Amino acid sequence: MGGIAEALRDKDIKDLIANHEHGVALTLTQWSGTLASNKPLPWRLLNDSASAEAMAAEIEHTPRSQFGNFTGIGHAITFAIKLIESNGFEGDDKKIDVSGDGRNNSGPEPRTVRAMAEMHGITINGLAITNAEATLASYYAANVMSGHGAFVVTADDFESYGEAFKRKLKRELSSRISLRERKPHLAGIVR
């Protein structure tokens, strides 16, 4: 949670958000196994430094949920698709960001579910935390990421997560600036 808040407080990230004429719609949900998803934060429209700072403070004060040993990436993607499709924003760019430190071991396979995201025009990017599994980024690339311009970023451990999340967010927000987007940029954060 601290790493996500840290990224939203970064000056470059705030500038990128401000450069999106109609803003960036953002939510955050935590996930684990098939039955253990929740939505602790409502969607927020970020369009300047103050709104990014307010979201960062909200995220920073949201406790990290304690989950079991299950990793339901497919379920998390399905949940995020529903969040994006029902959020009340009309965006040209829709993204789900999946951050995790393990392979799917509960619920539907992410490779199957990501096809549903593609049908909805949603890109899935990944952030693989590789401290427990060195090949996790390869797994995310083969099974999780999907859609136009999709990519995977790695963090070596939980301490480097904030920097990795910042790199990922910069890449996502920078790619749309040149298109002079007119509607909110959507980023569904699944964590």
Side-chain angles (χ1 to χ4, degrees), residues 2-160:
I4 295 169
E6 175 188 320
L8 287 172
R9 288 188 169 115
D10 182 80
K11 183 188 178 323
D12 291 339
I13 297 294
K14 288 179 177 181
D15 289 346
L16 287 167
I17 288 169
N19 283 330
H20 285 275
E21 184 179 352
H22 293 284
V24 176
L26 181 73
T27 189
L28 175 123
T29 188
Q30 299 179 39
W31 59 277
S32 181
T34 301
L35 300 176
S37 289
N38 64 37
K39 183 184 167 207
L41 298 178
W43 284 93
R44 300 283 188 242
L45 181 61
L46 310 182
N47 50 20
D48 58 19
S49 181
S51 58
E53 180 60 42
M55 182 85 177
E58 192 171 4
I59 289 170
E60 187 173 57
H61 291 99
T62 300
R64 175 131 165 66
S65 296
Q66 299 300 313
F67 296 115
N69 293 323
F70 293 103
T71 304
I73 299 172
H75 176 65
I77 292 169
T78 302
F79 187 69
I81 292 168
K82 291 176 185 175
L83 289 176
I84 290 173
E85 292 301 309
S86 64
N87 69 10
F89 292 98
E90 183 182 336
D92 291 331
D93 196 19
K94 302 174 184 178
K95 292 189 174 123
I96 297 170
D97 295 326
V98 179
S99 296
D101 64 348
R103 295 171 184 252
N104 191 75
N105 63 16
S106 175
E109 288 296 321
R111 195 177 257 198
T112 303
V113 175
R114 70 183 181 183
M116 189 168 47
E118 289 174 12
M119 288 176 20
H120 288 274
I122 299 171
T123 297
I124 303 171
N125 294 323
L127 196 163
I129 305 166
T130 60
N131 60 318
E133 188 174 342
T135 62
L136 189 62
S138 299
Y139 173 82
Y140 266 54
N143 296 283
V144 178
M145 73 177 225
S146 175
H148 180 71
F151 62 91
V152 174
V153 171
T154 61
D156 294 333
D157 50 36
F158 292 104
E159 289 73 31
S160 63

